[in-house]
Amino acid sequence: MTTTSIIHIAGLEGGLVNLTSDQLDELDSRVEGPLLRVGDEGWNDAVLTWNGMVAASPALVAQPISARDVAAAIGFARHFKLRLSVKGGGHNIAGTAIAEGGLTLDMSRLRDVTVDPEAKLAHVGPGCLLKDVDMATQKHGLATVLGFVSEVGVAGLTLGGGLGSLTRRFGWAVDNLQEVEIVTADGEIRTANRDENADLFWALRGAGANLGVVTRFTFRLHEVGPTVYGGLIAWPFERADEILQAYRTITAEAPRELAMWLLLIQAPPAPFVPEQCHGKKICAMAVCYSGDLDQVDQVLAPIRALGEPVVDLLREQPYTQVQSYLDATEPKGLHYYWKTEYAAELSDELLSTVRDLFVECSIPGAELGFLHIGGAFNEHDENDGAVGNRDARYVLGANGMWEPDEPHADTFRQWIRDAWERQRPFSTGRTYINFQTADEDEERIRATYGANFDRLMKIKEQYDPGNMFRANRNIRPRA
Ligand SMILES: Cc1cc2nc3c(=O)[nH]c(=O)nc-3n(C[C@H](O)[C@H](O)[C@H](O)COP(=O)(O)OP(=O)(O)OC[C@H]3O[C@@H](n4cnc5c(N)ncnc54)[C@H](O)[C@@H]3O)c2cc1C
């Protein structure tokens, strides 16, 4: 660590806390992993987050290598009343991994995965990205529910719920969470599962970032792959009405092994897209069929029956490849702005609204569309974990991305907000915490948890009465 006599760190309740070099040395001696300051080797990677729109910079980074390190750092932050944040994969769109000017725990040195194929369990470090887990579990033909972009962090995704191409088969990621090790605000290292610290385990299945720092996740695994059938298929936007209606029918009848995402986008100038389509609006489906490959022709027949796609990348391929082929579409550092809702059904009016919106849309990097969830997800009780939303069958989104120097950024952002207003009447009234942007208010956080909110607040009071863990989509209303 670079040495200077005093460092100013943002205080938990505002203002600055001045730490002397002796105090920093004390932290250094208690935490075995590195402490970093601006200019130190590794600093840039440690503070890099995905959404350039909300990028922030801490004053100090600790990189724990054990739960004891995490406990020591939490104790130090509590003693000096420092603003504390935790970085998993750094992909939260609201930029919650970094508290400006504060102390960040960058978990990237805790990136190990241990698979127990007999017990069908994976023990996962909190610094893991999705790809770390998929790669390790797929060696045994096993997988758990994770998301669609392999660079995302397991910790943030899971603690907010976690959905992906296996959701219809096995529910939320947290429905597959067996146990965690967590350090709470009092510095205790606790185990939480359905029997031990059961209330804490209930709350962190959906609102986990509010309750402590998870230092180990244990997931239940299922037999998946290693070869599945999937990829992208797309048609000209002129066929939008037909494709949107087909999507509704196919998803309503699909087996749970078929995950389908419908995207209205501008075709990228990629080698697999015919040149005459580059920059043109298209209707794309991102598909993952993880069932019996002998049945694939039958299962995909309604998609194939649509005929004449302009892009067809559907084929047998490794599950890990399907889990990562969208990575390049979401590079770090661009400005991202999303608005999403849950929908219980796709009405005619919703489909035509989304089509009309995309006709009007002039943002080159916009994506409008639906993610099909439901299935096993709907079969749990609403209060099985704080995460709830068991009535949702689709995620409905209007997403935009642009370069940091985009001159029309304000117009683009407003367009996304307006599109969202036109989509909201079709929502269940609830929304996914992991897709919320920094400008969404407390009502949205409350709506996320619905009837589970009051119980969640009681558990928050019990484990984090001082709201130390507030660098997140914070459930505790500000005074
Ligand atoms: C390109 C992209 C694709 C996505 N796809 C999906 C998807 O398919 N499915 C889905 O469900 N979500 C998806 N998401 C949303 C994703 O779940 C959230 O962005 C999530 O917050 C990312 O987790 P992270 O660890 O990368 O983020 P971070 O920004 O590092 O952390 C997110 C939050 O979790 C907290 N946190 C991190 N680690 C810990 C820990 N160990 N203990 C306690 N709190 C911690 C942080 O403090 C922060 O508040 C996607 C996001 C992006 C950007």
Side-chain angles (χ1 to χ4, degrees), residues 50 85-93 95-97 107 126 146-149 151-157 159 161-164 172 208-209 212-215 217 330 338 432 434-435 471-473:
W50 171 75
S85 70
V86 189
K87 182 184 168 200
H91 268 66
N92 191 274
I93 187 160
T96 52
M107 309 298 275
L146 295 170
F148 297 92
V149 170
E151 296 282 324
V152 169
V154 172
L157 177 130
L159 294 172
L163 43 84
W172 283 108
V213 181
V214 172
T215 46
F217 296 85
E330 308 279 349
W338 297 349
Y432 182 24
N434 274 350
F435 291 163
N472 45 49
R473 298 293 299 151

